[in-house]
Amino acid sequence: MYDPTVARLTYRALLGRRRALILFVLPALLLVIAAAVRLLTGADDSTAEAVLGGFSLAVMVPIIGVVAGTGAIAPEIDDGSVVYLLAKPIKRPTIILTKLFVAIGVTMAFSAIPTLLAGFILNGNGGQLAVAYTVAALVASIAYAALFLLLGTITRHAVVFGLVYALIWEGLFASLISGARTLSVQQWALAVAEKVTGGEAVASEVALPTAVILLAAATVLATWYAGQKLRSLTVAGEE
């Protein structure tokens, strides 16, 4: 279920000049903020939690997920080059899964690694915060990549809708409306981080079993439906 050629082309598309700039800017900004905060305030658990939770998990991870998830397939659909890919003797589920694996890998690399480094800079992993938020970034990367890959297959405005979900739904509505937090990838990831810290430094509005089920369901369903949409694109191209 993995095609090296599709993976290579997807990596090349994601790490092109424009997208690579976005992918590098946010992690670099996180590390600069972490270093500045450490110099100004010293090692402090509450400050580390605020930076890692308020910027890394709430802003950086979803935006990188949008760039990687939508960028894995949306440009090919927009410019019509996906027809050439679909004409190859490659199973459609293999194309989707390969692009998903690439999107997940890119999202993890550009979000989890900087999060871990920032956590150690901020407080040396005090209270297991660096590890907890790194794990949260890893699991969130999987769900975000799948959801935004799906958006890339169903709309030409995938980036816009992805940013609306990531920044407005999760950043605004989920912070104001308690019921909306249940449908927040960020809260699902926080539930995992809460387990890592023992519930002392990180808290989530969603229970861990519910969060795990929702993370798995969102990833599987989004991937499956993206495959269905790709099948319909195949039919249209063949016709």
Side-chain angles (χ1 to χ4, degrees):
M1 305 303 289
Y2 182 87
D3 186 271
T5 301
V6 174
R8 184 173 65 254
L9 293 174
T10 306
Y11 275 118
R12 185 181 301 173
L14 286 178
L15 300 178
R17 292 182 180 179
R18 187 180 303 175
R19 288 189 179 85
L21 179 62
I22 298 174
L23 290 172
F24 279 104
V25 164
L26 287 174
L29 180 59
L30 172 64
L31 295 177
V32 169
I33 291 174
V37 169
R38 178 61 185 266
L39 288 173
L40 293 173
T41 65
D44 180 74
D45 289 355
S46 62
T47 302
E49 194 278 331
V51 173
L52 296 177
F55 181 78
S56 177
L57 190 61
V59 177
M60 184 183 74
V61 179
I63 289 180
I64 290 176
V66 169
V67 174
T70 61
I73 196 168
E76 293 174 303
I77 294 176
D78 290 343
D79 63 21
S81 61
V82 70
V83 174
Y84 299 100
L85 177 61
L86 298 177
K88 302 295 182 181
I90 306 174
K91 294 181 179 179
R92 304 312 177 244
T94 299
I95 294 174
I96 285 295
L97 286 175
T98 300
K99 288 183 173 295
L100 176 62
F101 292 150
V102 172
I104 290 173
V106 170
T107 307
M108 285 182 171
F110 284 90
S111 61
I113 295 174
T115 298
L116 181 64
L117 294 175
F120 276 99
I121 291 172
L122 285 163
N123 72 337
N125 194 38
Q128 291 293 306
L129 286 175
V131 172
Y133 276 102
T134 298
V135 173
L138 289 172
V139 297
S141 295
I142 299 172
Y144 281 133
L147 290 171
F148 297 138
L149 179 67
L150 171 61
L151 279 179
T153 65
I154 62 178
T155 176
R156 290 180 177 274
H157 307 289
V159 173
V160 174
F161 285 112
L163 291 176
V164 167
Y165 171 80
L167 301 181
I168 297 180
W169 176 265
E170 291 201 344
L172 180 60
F173 287 104
S175 64
L176 299 176
I177 306 172
S178 59
R181 295 171 190 147
T182 305
L183 300 177
S184 167
V185 174
Q186 180 185 339
Q187 289 297 322
W188 305 341
L190 281 173
V192 180
E194 181 179 3
K195 178 65 175 179
V196 175
T197 63
E200 296 181 359
V202 181
S204 172
E205 297 292 331
V206 182
L208 181 60
T210 302
V212 172
I213 292 172
L214 291 174
L215 281 166
T219 302
V220 172
L221 291 175
T223 304
W224 172 80
Y225 193 60
Q228 297 304 305
K229 294 299 294 183
L230 195 63
R231 288 179 186 276
S232 69
L233 286 173
T234 303
V235 173
E238 291 172 351
E239 291 177 352

